[in-house]
Amino acid sequence: MNNKNISMNDRTNDQQLTIKRGNSGNSRAFSQLIIISAPLFFPVLLGPHLDNFMENAYQKSGNLFSHQHTWFIETQGKITGMLLGYAGDVKRNEGLPTGLLFFKHFIKYGFFQKIIFLLKSQNFFPKVKRDDFYISNFAVFPEYQNRGTGTCLLKFAESEALNNGCTSMVLDVEAENQRAIKLYQKNGYAMESTSPSLQLGKSHFQFIRMKKQLLR
């Protein structure tokens, strides 16, 4: 992906929409939206220090939560949604540095049981191929949902994927997040597989892999 700001203007419900690449100054909005994207998983995994972890990771380069891989959609100049995504080779190259960020976080706050959980989760999700574009996280603030904002952001991600030589879009969504699943289905994503249940403390997690083939 290039490092230039990218913008796209569209009209949805008579509102001006602009999509821009993230920068280090958007860390607070990123943290808020990433919780919306995985409302069950991240709070349990990272605990009360979730905001701190996400904001720090976002501001750094070379990890899978970096601003380098993030786009925000603005409605009349206000951030209303976010998409975090990257090609398959980025996921492979930056997986280890991202894992190290998690380890440092867990050790700092004494979350030793979560280190074992993190190790187990490495083989939990299906692999992402080199020509896949992986949507890691995607969210729209509740007050801006059902306005076409999310669809606009997903369409933009598809254009980015094609620009990077990818042939398909893939993502993993919490099985309980039916609202998101319906949105993805509406935009042409199909369910491929359901993960086994993964337990952390008293919480159980299950994800659905969804995929969409891209047409050039």
Side-chain angles (χ1 to χ4, degrees), residues 119-139:
L119 291 172
K120 288 181 178 179
S121 70
Q122 296 306 301
N123 296 317
F124 182 66
F125 296 106
K127 300 297 183 182
V128 176
K129 299 177 182 178
R130 182 180 296 275
D131 58 356
D132 288 337
F133 188 91
Y134 186 68
I135 298 179
S136 172
N137 298 92
F138 164 74

Side-chain angles (χ1 to χ4, degrees), residues 26-196:
N26 304 129
S27 60
R28 180 57 181 162
F30 174 80
S31 176
Q32 292 171 332
L33 284 161
I34 206 162
I35 295 172
I36 295 173
S37 75
L40 301 177
F41 185 69
F42 281 132
V44 172
L45 178 64
L46 293 165
H49 307 285
L50 167 58
D51 287 345
N52 179 259
F53 175 87
M54 287 300 176
E55 290 187 35
N56 287 338
Y58 174 81
Q59 292 171 349
K60 297 179 184 296
S61 299
N63 75 89
L64 297 178
F65 294 100
S66 172
H67 61 275
Q68 296 171 307
H69 311 310
T70 307
W71 289 267
F72 292 97
I73 188 165
E74 297 180 354
T75 303
Q76 297 177 332
K78 180 179 180 181
I79 291 176
T80 53
M82 173 274 295
L83 187 142
L84 172 67
Y86 35 77
D89 57 346
V90 173
K91 185 171 178 64
R92 283 190 295 275
N93 294 337
E94 298 185 5
L96 181 57
T98 305
L100 291 175
L101 289 178
F102 276 104
F103 278 112
K104 290 178 182 178
H105 178 82
F106 294 151
I107 291 173
K108 179 178 180 181
Y109 295 105
F111 297 154
F112 298 109
Q113 66 175 23
K114 295 184 180 183
I115 294 177
I116 298 175
F117 174 83
L118 186 65
L119 291 172
K120 288 181 178 179
S121 70
Q122 296 306 301
N123 296 317
F124 182 66
F125 296 106
K127 300 297 183 182
V128 176
K129 299 177 182 178
R130 182 180 296 275
D131 58 356
D132 288 337
F133 188 91
Y134 186 68
I135 298 179
S136 172
N137 298 92
F138 164 74
V140 174
F141 283 120
E143 60 269 33
Y144 290 93
Q145 294 175 3
N146 299 317
R147 300 186 184 185
T149 307
T151 295
C152 184
L153 196 51
L154 287 173
K155 294 297 183 185
F156 175 81
E158 290 177 17
S159 68
E160 276 299 295
L162 289 171
N163 289 339
N164 283 275
C166 296
T167 60
S168 58
M169 310 290 294
V170 295
L171 58 89
D172 297 294
V173 58
E174 291 178 2
E176 294 87 351
N177 196 346
Q178 290 299 311
R179 186 188 188 97
I181 291 171
K182 290 178 181 179
L183 174 63
Y184 293 132
Q185 289 176 322
K186 182 179 178 181
N187 283 277
Y189 288 76
M191 295 183 186
E192 277 212 323
S193 61
T194 301
S195 73

